[in-house]
Amino acid sequence: MATPTLKQLARRHPTHREKSEYWELLQALMDGGSKLTPEIKQKILANPDRRPDGVIKERIKVARYFNKISPIANRFVSQLFAAPLQFEGSKDKFWEETFFPGGALLPQTDDDGKATFDAFLKAAILQALAQQKAIAQIDTAIATESINKKQQKSAREDEPYVLLVPRSQLWDWETDRNGFKFAKLHRFSWMRDTWDSDPVAMHDFTIYQRRPDGSIVASRYVIKSKGKGEDFDKGIESNLERLDEKNIEIASVNGLEERPIFNVRGQFKFPIVTLTLPPALWLADQLFDPQCSHYNQTASLEWGLVSTNYAMPTIESEDIEDFNSRNDKFGNGYFIHLDPSQKESIGWTERPGASFSTSMEYRSTVEQDIDKTVQQIAISAQDAAGAASGETLRQAKKPEEILLTLYGSMVKDLAKGVLDVAAIAHDEAVNWIVEGMSDFDRTDLQGEATEYGAIAQVGIPSEAFTKELQKAFAREVAKQKEFDSATLKKILEEIESAKPEPTEGEADPTVAGSPPEQDAPDPDSDEAIAEDALNDPELLKSLNL
């Protein structure tokens, strides 16, 4: 295969060209904190009087950003994952011992990036709430010398892992009714071989292509170019579109060029799985305008207050030269002499108080608008319980539960999609089943225990009914006590395999030699009277027996 050109690798999908900066901006707004750099703040700060950059930078220094999106998103996620998901499929130990506890890689972490599959799903739905789409890439190690299954296994080429890909890294794609026809991922990094070497800009491309027969091939290329020192010092990405083909090097990585991947007995899976929210459920996009408005009102208030506190004095005098002669020093530790005959006075350059009041009132209105935008779907059971009860409480919780169910179904679809692809990569054809995220009614455990106990006292003669009742209660406890999925799965298996306890008055069939219990005889019966008489020594003696 011919090595691709710079133009081919640099090509981006029109949607990516149009929206990638907006996706990154939304992610920064939801992350907040250090992710909201001065450059990003400047993008959303209004400049109606066209002040120069120097003034705007000073305004940014004092403008505080109060994140209104992240708390709402985190509330949704905490309620979604209050109960662990349950995965049923392969019996291979790889999943329980390797994939679920550490088979995920998350971007922008300060360690090796490894995470649990649950942590991956949480990060994925948070990314979708910010950028509308979460992108999962399923990959394996590359064993370049492997020629058979045994060698692949020894090189751990059959041990898949999943990566969470920022949406802006999916540069180009095409889809049809069967999913992706191709996808091109782009990653950037700086590389230095030695401490004193010049930095080299590395543009890394991973490309997946579906062939007409359904098979999937993978290619990986890297573009190396001598980077600009100022770009490296600032930690910014080298602009690929400004590179000259004569001054770059394009090479494949580990010889990965159109290599067939992920095939089990003719069953193929594309290694990119996505979760896409409908526009109405794209939280950050829905709250973008009110969040920006809130920031601008805060920025104007902060700047106005600081400017007022450091206000410049103004002097009114009929003879300014005479005033200066009497007050050649003006500042802390000095006095000012005002001459009444010259009608002298001192004022301050400060904004009228009415503008502050208007700005604060409007900011409060914006906060209320943000709350109103999400109150039907973001109100928690705890918040509702404090304000309502009975039927009113159930109605208040209904919109939230509906939304969480919608989000939950999409998270489960993503999880199943990832597991189905990972199974193929593990040389298994498995139809995974993902259960959970369907009950978001956080009930009182004491009341639940009383209810379950009352049902059990009815004594319904059904082993299946009893076991399902026990499983239902176990799931409710696991949800509220936040058991992990492995622990809950073990609990449910133990309940299923446990032998039923004997009912009252019934012999335990597991105890050997246990005689069946008999009804006690009636003490007034003839047989009982006769037996008492025969066991009475005095009566037998009087009868000479």
Side-chain angles (χ1 to χ4, degrees), residues 107-128:
Q108 300 175 343
T109 55
D110 55 3
D111 51 18
D112 61 2
K114 289 185 178 179
T116 66
F117 190 48
D118 277 353
F120 165 82
L121 294 175
K122 291 177 183 178
I125 185 60
L126 280 173
Q127 178 173 304

Side-chain angles (χ1 to χ4, degrees), residues 345-544:
S345 65
I346 295 178
W348 298 89
T349 55
E350 60 178 294
R351 290 167 54 182
S355 65
F356 288 99
S357 299
T358 302
S359 185
M360 286 187 290
E361 289 174 3
Y362 181 71
R363 191 178 69 160
S364 177
T365 300
V366 171
E367 292 176 349
Q368 294 174 14
D369 290 341
I370 292 175
D371 293 337
K372 289 177 181 177
T373 303
V374 295
Q375 68 178 357
Q376 291 301 314
I377 56 178
I379 189 170
S380 68
Q382 181 178 359
D383 295 336
S389 61
E391 184 63 26
T392 306
L393 172 59
R394 285 190 287 273
Q395 293 298 326
K397 289 166 61 179
K398 187 176 180 181
E400 176 199 4
E401 292 173 16
I402 292 174
L403 180 80
L404 291 173
T405 301
L406 290 173
Y407 284 144
S409 65
M410 288 183 275
V411 171
K412 289 190 291 185
D413 288 344
L414 175 67
K416 175 176 170 53
V418 169
L419 290 172
D420 286 346
V421 176
I424 295 293
H426 192 57
D427 199 30
E428 291 184 287
V430 180
N431 182 24
W432 284 92
I433 298 175
V434 182
E435 295 181 344
M437 291 189 178
S438 57
D439 180 13
F440 299 101
D441 183 11
R442 196 174 181 88
T443 55
D444 175 48
L445 282 182
Q446 183 175 358
E448 288 290 310
T450 302
E451 182 178 345
Y452 283 120
I455 296 174
Q457 288 296 322
V458 175
I460 297 176
S462 170
E463 180 180 342
F465 177 84
T466 301
K467 287 184 180 294
E468 289 304 315
L469 188 66
Q470 293 170 343
K471 289 178 183 179
F473 186 67
R475 290 190 186 97
E476 186 63 41
V477 174
K479 179 176 71 173
Q480 299 204 27
K481 299 303 180 182
E482 299 184 357
F483 292 175
D484 58 57
S485 57
T487 301
L488 177 58
K489 182 179 179 182
K490 184 178 180 181
I491 292 172
L492 298 178
E493 289 174 349
E494 289 175 347
I495 293 175
E496 184 62 35
S497 60
K499 295 181 179 179
E501 296 182 2
T503 58
E504 186 177 353
E506 178 183 0
D508 188 347
T510 62
V511 181
S514 177
E517 294 186 8
Q518 298 180 355
D519 294 337
D522 185 355
D524 296 327
S525 64
D526 294 340
E527 292 81 6
I529 295 174
E531 185 176 354
D532 290 342
L534 292 175
N535 291 327
D536 187 345
E538 295 297 329
L539 178 60
L540 295 175
K541 183 178 180 180
S542 64
L543 297 174
N544 296 319

